[in-house]
Amino acid sequence: MNKKFIGRKSEIYNLSQIMNRMNDNQSTSGSLIAIDGRRRCGKTTLIEHFIQKQMNSIENDHLTFVYFKFIGNLSLSYKENIVACINELEYQLQKLPENIQLILMGKNIKFQKSNASWATFFQYLDLVLSTLKEMKNIRFFIFFDEVSWYDKKNKFIKYFANMWNIYFVHYPNLMCFLASSLSTWMREKIINNTDMLYGRLTLKIELHPFTLEEIYQYAKSLYPSSSLNIGAIIHYYMIFGGIIKYYDMIDFSKSFEQNIERIIFDKDIRNNIISEYDLLFNGLMNNSGLYDNKRASYHKEIMLVLSKIKSGNFNDIYQAILKKYKNNANIHENYIYQDLNDLLNSRLISIQDKDGKELNLLKKESKRNKIYTINDLFCFFNLYFQEKYLDDINKSSLLDIFEDSYWRGTAFEILIICNKHILEKALNISQSNVANQFTLNLIIKDEQSGKQKAQIDILIQTSDKSFIGKSLHLIELKNYSMQTRLKANEIDTIYNKADYLLDMLYQQQKKDNVNNIQLDILLLSLYPLNKIVNEDLAGYKIQQFNLFDYLSEL
């Protein structure tokens, strides 16, 4: 089945702009592009799609393309990766058009692999480029994929940077791509490197998983003539998130029950899911060598803790891991903090301050003031399902898993966190408003007793030029598995939350010099809510928005 390329419009546009400048002879130097993103989010697919699109374009018929691709291998040693790259270069040269091979034959290049270093490999690569660079209308693409896996001794990037700064930067007809799933390494060694590659990056791409809408469009592209089960697709997203590769395990022509049965009981599929989960962390574990080659990695332990508690501060996580390892004195706080940063950089978890407001990754904040929240749907399902159900499951209870209130509630919340643009649609507000004033799981306590009075799922403060003061939106998430009628006590609870919130805000307004507060309520659900809320009853403006109808209208 042919898979349609989905999304990535802004990334393709930015890459095409670089190519256009090159074709218009406006480029004066080589173009270096860094691509960062979670494993399986489509970095390789994006770059290869772009390159193939350029090579197959009718507009580029007059151009000659030379494309070299190299992939780092975590299982290979430092030396073995070097030899693998030289072998790959030698092999790919044999696949070039005959006229190019004839030109290179004049150089009589002999590849020596014994005692080869990264300097040796880059000298061979530069010899090829310098030999061909004078060809009319030639274009070079070089793609180093999973580049961090080359760098086990921190030598690859040093030699690459040296060759780029001395030689490759002077090839205006060259586009070179560096991609890695190891975000911490990518930021430290390339994106935020103020030494070797400072000012050299032409474009930085941070690739995110696909949105709910894009996964729906992907499913429709596979089965254009079928009537898709929209509710099932939303639930698949709550399992796999926005990683298209994982949807290879789904047959969209089958029922939700049939697909779930395959996922749970087919050993090959189940083993594939476990393998994919483990692969997410292999690179992160290897990255522990950035800090201390002798220490263990605690990435998986951190994710397991957060799958059980959803959110927690540093001490919650650290103490849970200490308890698991029976207070092992060798587990230093810094190890846990470093591994938390790896998970943050990989976007597998997110951070908020103690009041629930989202924090920027670059913002300096005491680790004691941060709240960490699991942020990856695939990880959450895999961990929660394995921990709670894998050893005690039968077909009669299969769908009961998807009625588990903790899993459903947390998965729906993560879905919305990863698709904040849905809030923009529902509230008709801009992206900057959602991103900058987003508070998650706000706890309202009684001032005297300190006991919890209410929990606000999501609170968004927006700027409204027509209103002087604070304009706020209380978001209540409803994760029912079918179309449901809201009960009277549920409506009362929502109104009470709004009242408690206003009381708290009015207590703060003297400090903030704010005279007016406007509070609206949004009921955000998976399926339509039958009960029409009377907004005049409590004086609040109430909106309803559900994912099922939203996708149905796309």
Side-chain angles (χ1 to χ4, degrees):
M1 181 180 294
N2 291 327
K3 296 182 180 179
K4 184 179 178 182
F5 184 82
I6 298 292
R8 310 308 191 201
K9 292 181 180 179
S10 63
E11 291 84 359
I12 292 293
Y13 173 81
N14 290 331
L15 291 170
S16 299
Q17 289 295 98
I18 295 173
M19 189 69 189
N20 291 340
R21 287 196 297 272
M22 188 186 299
N23 290 342
D24 293 339
N25 296 317
Q26 295 178 3
S27 180
T28 58
S29 62
S31 298
L32 182 60
I33 298 100
I35 309 98
D36 173 32
R38 175 200 189 280
R39 182 174 174 81
R40 298 295 197 195
C41 73
K43 299 181 296 295
T44 303
T45 301
L46 168 67
I47 299 309
E48 291 193 332
H49 173 80
F50 168 74
I51 291 174
Q52 291 302 321
K53 184 178 179 181
Q54 298 301 318
M55 295 173 72
N56 297 331
S57 171
I58 297 176
E59 295 178 356
N60 293 336
D61 274 352
H62 63 293
L63 300 176
T64 299
F65 291 96
V66 174
Y67 172 33
F68 299 125
K69 179 182 177 182
F70 309 95
I71 307 176
N73 191 324
L74 184 60
S75 64
L76 296 182
S77 69
Y78 166 74
K79 288 288 186 181
E80 288 171 335
N81 265 307
I82 294 172
V83 172
C85 279
I86 295 174
N87 285 336
E88 192 61 33
L89 178 60
E90 188 175 20
Y91 172 77
Q92 293 184 50
L93 288 174
Q94 297 170 8
K95 299 294 182 180
L96 294 175
E98 288 186 10
N99 64 319
I100 294 180
Q101 292 192 45
L102 287 173
I103 295 172
L104 292 172
M105 285 177 62
K107 289 292 181 179
N108 195 26
I109 303 174
K110 296 185 181 298
F111 294 96
Q112 299 294 329
K113 297 163 192 173
S114 58
N115 299 319
S117 66
W118 284 119
T120 309
F121 165 72
F122 284 118
Q123 285 168 4
Y124 290 143
L125 185 57
D126 183 57
L127 180 57
V128 172
L129 298 184
S130 61
T131 301
L132 300 176
K133 70 176 182 178
E134 300 303 329
M135 284 184 63
K136 185 177 181 181
N137 295 325
I138 193 164
R139 300 288 183 269
F140 298 112
F141 294 125
I142 302 176
F143 183 15
F144 290 101
D145 202 358
E146 295 299 354
V147 66
S148 60
W149 291 351
Y150 289 132
D151 213 35
K152 296 179 180 180
K153 294 188 177 181
N154 291 327
K155 290 186 177 181
F156 171 86
I157 198 62
K158 293 178 182 177
Y159 282 109
F160 173 83
N162 185 60
M163 290 300 292
W164 184 268
N165 292 329
I166 296 174
Y167 299 105
F168 296 161
V169 73
H170 299 299
Y171 297 135
N173 50 359
L174 166 65
M175 289 183 73
C176 182
F177 306 88
L178 303 176
S180 174
S181 301
L182 188 49
S183 296
T184 299
W185 184 93
M186 199 69 178
R187 285 172 170 77
E188 289 185 10
K189 302 293 185 180
I190 297 177
I191 295 175
N192 298 327
N193 190 320
T194 58
D195 183 16
M196 296 177 289
L197 290 171
Y198 181 71
R200 293 301 192 189
L201 287 181
T202 309
L203 179 64
K204 293 178 282 188
I205 297 176
E206 182 181 343
L207 212 58
H208 296 279
F210 290 93
T211 65
L212 176 63
E213 297 94 325
E214 287 170 333
I215 293 297
Y216 178 54
Q217 295 295 340
Y218 171 71
K220 289 206 304 186
S221 74
L222 294 179
Y223 298 92
S225 60
S226 301
S227 178
L228 295 174
N229 184 334
I230 294 176
I233 291 174
I234 297 171
H235 282 84
Y236 296 144
Y237 196 95
M238 291 166 68
I239 297 171
F240 295 124
I243 306 300
I244 279 183
K245 175 67 178 176
Y246 298 158
Y247 290 83
D248 289 347
M249 294 178 256
I250 295 295
D251 183 345
F252 290 102
S253 66
K254 296 184 180 298
S255 70
F256 178 72
E257 291 80 1
Q258 289 172 314
N259 275 312
I260 295 306
E261 185 171 321
R262 289 175 65 243
I263 290 172
I264 304 302
F265 295 106
D266 187 303
K267 288 185 178 180
D268 290 338
I269 293 178
R270 189 65 214 150
N271 289 336
N272 186 27
I273 290 176
I274 295 171
S275 175
E276 284 291 342
Y277 179 76
D278 289 340
L279 283 171
L280 266 176
F281 295 93
N282 284 349
L284 290 176
M285 291 174 182
N286 186 61
N287 189 51
S288 297
L290 283 175
Y291 314 114
D292 183 347
N293 284 316
K294 297 180 181 179
R295 82 167 178 87
S297 159
Y298 300 99
H299 301 96
K300 283 187 174 181
E301 284 80 359
I302 292 169
M303 294 298 287
L304 182 58
V305 170
L306 288 177
S307 74
K308 295 177 180 178
I309 63 175
K310 186 172 69 173
S311 298
N313 60 30
F314 177 84
N315 194 57
D316 294 333
I317 297 165
Y318 182 55
Q319 292 302 322
I321 293 174
L322 280 181
K323 184 178 180 181
K324 177 180 179 180
Y325 289 96
K326 299 180 180 178
N327 294 311
N328 186 336
N330 293 323
I331 304 177
H332 197 277
E333 283 191 6
N334 283 344
Y335 297 166
I336 306 302
Y337 189 59
Q338 289 161 354
D339 289 354
L340 278 165
N341 282 336
D342 286 343
L343 295 169
L344 284 166
N345 282 324
S346 299
R347 302 299 191 268
L348 298 180
I349 62 177
S350 59
I351 49 172
Q352 298 84 36
D353 66 17
K354 57 185 175 58
D355 295 321
K357 289 187 178 180
E358 279 200 317
L359 294 175
N360 189 300
L361 285 181
L362 300 178
K363 184 178 179 180
K364 299 293 183 182
E365 186 88 13
S366 168
K367 61 186 174 185
R368 304 294 177 185
N369 295 331
K370 294 177 180 176
I371 302 297
Y372 299 89
T373 302
I374 193 165
N375 197 45
D376 188 273
L377 286 160
F378 175 72
C379 287
F380 177 60
F381 174 77
N382 201 53
L383 285 164
Y384 188 69
F385 170 75
Q386 285 196 76
E387 184 76 8
K388 187 167 183 179
Y389 290 106
L390 194 57
D391 295 330
D392 183 24
I393 187 172
N394 55 71
K395 290 189 179 183
S396 63
S397 66
L398 180 63
L399 292 181
D400 291 343
I401 297 172
F402 297 93
E403 296 301 321
D404 183 306
S405 60
Y406 176 73
W407 175 77
R408 288 186 62 81
T410 304
F412 186 40
E413 185 177 287
I414 297 171
L415 184 156
I416 297 302
I417 293 171
C418 296
N419 290 268
K420 291 193 183 78
H421 62 277
I422 291 177
L423 294 173
E424 299 168 34
K425 298 279 187 183
L427 298 172
N428 193 27
I429 56 178
S430 68
Q431 182 178 2
S432 60
N433 273 322
V434 173
N436 296 333
Q437 299 291 340
F438 183 93
T439 302
L440 183 66
N441 293 324
L442 175 64
I443 304 296
I444 301 175
K445 296 182 178 180
D446 184 273
E447 285 189 355
Q448 295 182 348
S449 67
K451 293 183 179 179
Q452 179 175 324
K453 295 170 64 176
Q455 176 177 312
I456 309 299
D457 293 336
I458 297 173
L459 181 67
I460 297 175
Q461 179 176 333
T462 62
S463 57
D464 187 346
K465 294 181 179 179
S466 64
F467 180 77
I468 300 175
K470 283 187 176 180
S471 179
L472 299 162
H473 300 272
L474 184 158
I475 317 296
E476 180 77 6
L477 302 180
K478 294 297 180 185
N479 55 79
Y480 302 117
S481 60
M482 61 187 70
Q483 189 165 337
T484 305
R485 179 178 294 276
L486 278 180
K487 298 176 183 177
N489 64 332
E490 290 181 284
I491 299 172
D492 290 340
T493 299
I494 295 169
Y495 288 147
N496 288 337
K497 286 184 180 184
D499 290 340
Y500 292 144
L501 178 61
L502 278 179
D503 287 342
M504 183 185 76
L505 293 172
Y506 280 125
Q507 291 298 322
Q508 295 175 351
Q509 74 172 358
K510 295 179 181 178
K511 301 177 184 179
D512 299 337
N513 294 319
V514 176
N515 296 320
N516 296 308
I517 298 174
Q518 176 178 293
L519 179 63
D520 298 331
I521 298 173
L522 172 66
L523 302 182
L524 181 54
S525 57
L526 287 172
Y527 292 95
L529 299 173
N530 286 343
K531 178 71 177 180
I532 304 299
V533 182
N534 185 351
E535 63 180 79
D536 295 330
L537 185 64
Y540 297 109
K541 177 184 176 183
I542 299 194
Q543 296 173 261
Q544 298 185 46
F545 190 91
N546 72 86
L547 299 185
F548 186 90
D549 287 344
Y550 172 56
L551 291 182
S552 300
E553 295 169 2
L554 292 180

